[in-house]
């Protein structure tokens, strides 16, 4: 069950819209919501969506704390898929929790 | 999550210790059985009550793409409502009498224009704005759609009958987490004189996912 955004007790936001970030490559086991195809990719923060309990903890009955800022991150399709059929301007946005992102 | 309907299998009197292979359960599919087992465990452990589960099922079943169409038609007809829908979807929906439960994932509305076309997918499972549109279509949950929508969105959109030129940017939204996306499709040409009720008939479920545009007035015999 979704717990909704939280206003207190979460990690503070490290990134702002426009920041260059890279998605960590990891397989923590169990439930996580960072698709494999976007791991290792560099993108740009489109916006901060809010602060949400960590689903990796919620999935196993945990309290989701510390809650994680969630970002909509923009990637170039041509960069994610070298064989991509379409113009270079095409983009993909993926929602990624802060602990999966590192600064570039 | 939807609990599949099975005949003669209400909450009262149902023995949850039954297991696959018992005569009356042969009518239930594997996933129906699994859903029943999970429901029984959730109730047994006091995580939620049968009423809460049924309430959630009822809420989702009560919604359909007609609800989304009503919202989109209002946005086409009323610029102030559209601005609110894009900046604060929950406040906009409240104006139309839709109050989303607090347990509902946050909704975000994205606008298609003649230069930018959004397509929504959930590559990890089947995240979908159920609180407004009801249950997603089966193809939305298929592995084919979930993988191809990110790798080849233009190919997928073209299979739904829409060819986008290279001057239109395609933006795929993978709703991997706590947000659900609703596409506000472009208002079709030739719809200027239509009432809000007529406009709503142009808005299809697929156009709010972004695999197509809204229907033309000609397509519904109104042009």
């Amino acid at each position: 069950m979704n717990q909704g955004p939280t206003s207190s007790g979460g990690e503070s936001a490290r990134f702002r819209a426009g920041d260059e970030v890279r998605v960590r490559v990891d397989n923590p086991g169990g439930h996580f919501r960072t698709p494999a195809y976007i791991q290792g990719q560099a993108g740009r923060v489109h916006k901060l969506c809010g602060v949400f309990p960590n689903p990796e903890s919620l999935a196993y009955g945990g309290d989701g704390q510390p809650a994680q800022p969630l970002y909509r991150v923009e990637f170039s399709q041509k960069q994610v898929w070298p064989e991509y059929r379409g113009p270079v301007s095409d983009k993909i946005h993926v929602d990624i929790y802060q602990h999966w992102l590192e600064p570039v | 999550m939807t609990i599949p309907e099975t005949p003669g299998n209400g909450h009262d009197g149902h023995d949850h210790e039954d297991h696959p292979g018992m005569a009356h359960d042969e009518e239930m599919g594997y996933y129906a059985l699994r859903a029943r087992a999970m429901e029984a465990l959730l109730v047994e452990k006091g995580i939620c009550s049968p009423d809460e589960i049924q309430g959630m099922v009822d809420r989702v079943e009560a919604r359909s793409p007609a609800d989304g169409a009503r919202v989109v038609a209002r946005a086409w007809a009323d610029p102030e409502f559209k601005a609110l829908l894009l900046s604060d979807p929950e406040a906009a929906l409240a104006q139309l009498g839709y109050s989303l439960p607090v347990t509902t994932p946050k909704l975000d509305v994205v606008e298609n224009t003649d230069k930018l076309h959004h397509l929504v997918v959930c590559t990890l499972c089947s995240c979908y704005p159920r609180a407004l549109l009801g249950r997603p279509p089966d193809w939305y949950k298929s592995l084919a759609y979930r993988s191809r929508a990110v790798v080849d969105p233009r190919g997928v959109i073209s299979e739904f009958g829409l060819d986008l030129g290279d001057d239109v940017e395609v933006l795929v939204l993978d709703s991997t987490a706590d947000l659900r996306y609703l596409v506000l499709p472009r208002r079709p040409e030739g719809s200027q004189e239509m009432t809000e009720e007529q406009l709503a008939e142009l808005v299809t479920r697929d156009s709010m996912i972004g695999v197509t545009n809204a229907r033309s007035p000609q397509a519904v015999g109104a042009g």
Side-chain angles (χ1 to χ4, degrees):
Chain A
M1 175 98 24
N2 184 279
Q3 303 291 307
T6 181
S7 54
S8 62
E11 299 270 327
S12 52
R14 291 175 64 196
F15 305 110
R16 290 189 305 180
D19 284 357
E20 303 282 330
V21 290
R22 184 178 299 278
V23 185
R24 288 195 301 110
V25 178
D26 196 8
N27 183 356
H31 177 83
F32 58 96
R33 304 203 62 85
T34 309
Y37 74 86
I38 216 66
Q39 294 187 23
Q41 294 287 342
R44 196 176 56 83
V45 172
H46 178 75
K47 69 170 181 178
L48 172 66
C49 302
V51 181
F52 295 86
N54 184 350
E56 292 160 36
S57 155
L58 287 181
Y60 300 98
D63 60 5
Q65 300 302 319
Q68 291 292 325
L70 177 68
Y71 302 92
R72 211 169 118 187
V73 184
E74 177 171 286
F75 303 87
S76 151
Q77 284 280 45
K78 281 270 194 212
Q79 186 188 308
V80 176
W81 316 105
E83 309 291 309
Y84 182 76
R85 292 194 298 160
V88 289
S89 53
D90 283 3
K91 310 276 190 336
I92 182 162
H93 285 189
V94 186
D95 296 337
I96 302 174
Y97 297 94
Q98 177 164 280
H99 63 295
W100 279 90
L101 296 174
E102 51 197 23
V104 170
Chain B
M1 183 175 70
T2 302
I3 310 294
E5 284 296 323
T6 51
N9 211 357
H11 293 294
D12 35 342
H14 176 57
D15 182 358
H16 287 294
E17 286 175 17
D18 287 353
H19 56 80
M22 293 193 73
H24 79 277
D25 276 344
E26 283 178 1
E27 297 165 26
M28 298 177 77
Y30 170 81
Y31 289 105
L33 271 173
R34 193 160 81 167
R36 287 285 170 199
M38 285 171 61
E39 181 180 346
L41 277 171
L42 288 168
V43 171
E44 234 172 75
K45 290 176 181 288
I47 294 168
C48 52
S49 70
D51 286 349
E52 284 173 317
I53 295 173
Q54 194 56 47
M56 185 63 83
V57 172
D58 290 346
R59 271 207 296 280
V60 170
E61 295 296 325
R63 291 282 176 253
S64 78
D67 295 290
R70 193 175 151 232
V71 173
V72 168
R74 172 65 58 88
W76 284 346
D78 178 348
E80 273 182 38
F81 179 82
K82 176 172 140 183
L84 184 63
L85 183 67
L86 293 170
S87 62
D88 187 351
E90 271 127 61
L93 292 181
Q95 284 190 1
L96 291 188
Y98 295 106
S99 65
L100 306 184
V102 286
T103 50
T104 299
K106 206 172 151 183
L107 185 73
D108 213 349
V109 180
V110 291
E111 182 185 15
N112 279 353
T113 68
D114 58 353
K115 292 278 168 263
L116 177 64
H117 188 98
H118 296 85
L119 175 71
V120 180
V121 63
C122 171
T123 58
L124 294 177
C125 45
S126 58
C127 295
Y128 185 78
R130 290 166 194 252
L132 188 61
L133 300 186
R135 291 161 62 177
D138 285 345
W139 58 257
Y140 184 84
K141 301 180 277 184
S142 70
L143 189 58
Y145 179 74
R146 285 161 45 213
S147 49
R148 294 190 54 228
V150 283
V151 179
D152 184 22
R154 286 174 182 268
V156 169
I157 289 168
S158 140
E159 284 167 29
F160 276 87
L162 177 62
D163 284 309
L164 295 168
D166 282 1
D167 59 327
V168 180
E169 178 186 328
V170 170
L171 198 166
V172 174
L173 289 156
D174 188 356
S175 53
T176 50
D178 281 290
L179 275 85
R180 301 295 175 265
Y181 292 102
L182 179 80
V183 174
L184 175 60
R186 291 169 61 192
R187 180 170 178 165
E189 285 173 24
S191 63
Q192 288 74 12
E193 305 299 321
M194 297 175 82
T195 66
E196 211 171 301
E197 288 72 25
Q198 290 171 323
L199 287 172
E201 289 179 31
L202 305 181
V203 186
T204 61
R205 174 195 68 198
D206 292 358
S207 70
M208 292 182 280
I209 300 174
V211 288
T212 60
N213 281 334
R215 293 190 285 192
S216 69
Q218 292 79 11
V220 296

